Amino acid sequence: MKHTTLACLATMLLLQSPAWSAPEPTIPGYSFGQPQVARAPYSEADLAALKKVMLFSDDDALALRQSKPILADQVDAILDVWYGFVASTPELLRYFSDAAGKPDAAYLAAVRKRFGQWILDTADANYDQRWLDYQYEIGLRHSRLKKNRTDSARSVAQIDFRYLSALTIPVTTTLKAFLASKGASPSEVERMHAAWVKAVLLQTILWSHPYVRDGQF
């Protein structure tokens, strides 16, 4: 019975969340490269050091770019899978629910459009200061410093820190089938998937900055 209820909830959310179409001239709340985005408290040199420790290479960046045309017309299907996972996981759904604990369809729909753009941005990142600044902005929007502000949502105050990196696994695990769907060789799929694991973990590490005490990041 519980499984059936969660499945129905997942379906409801998918139907209420409009399909993402790429790329829109303006996605509400998407502010990459805009002057209102604060400068990140970490630098390109900090990023280079972090990438070195993570074994993130130029080959990984090339693999991500190789994945972009494979994923571009599958974004909506990817989001269906990810939103279905959120809908069936109460520990995650609460972050997109209103004060009464009911899923906020408008909030979910707004986030969905930016989530779709994030897939393409991740595949095509150039890792410059503007990219770093937007990672910091995303981190702020997950934390109690800015969560809910972008969409005027009335949800819980923050996404708890422990789930930032944890979501690397469901996101990248479910992505692998999409990477393999256009005829890439098994070795190419493995190469792209490994790059995606690194890229998602790299971003969630940067998003964690607002949660960490000054001087400890």
Side-chain angles (χ1 to χ4, degrees), residues 9 32 35 38 45 59 63 104 106 136 138 144 157 169 172 197 203 209:
L9 178 57
F32 183 94
D59 185 64
D104 185 334
Y136 183 54
I138 293 173
R144 64 178 61 251
I169 302 305
T172 58
V197 172
Q203 289 177 86
H209 189 282

Side-chain angles (χ1 to χ4, degrees), residues 60 96 133 141 164 172 214:
D60 291 310
F96 301 96
D133 294 344
R141 293 183 188 187
L164 295 186
T172 58
D214 289 345

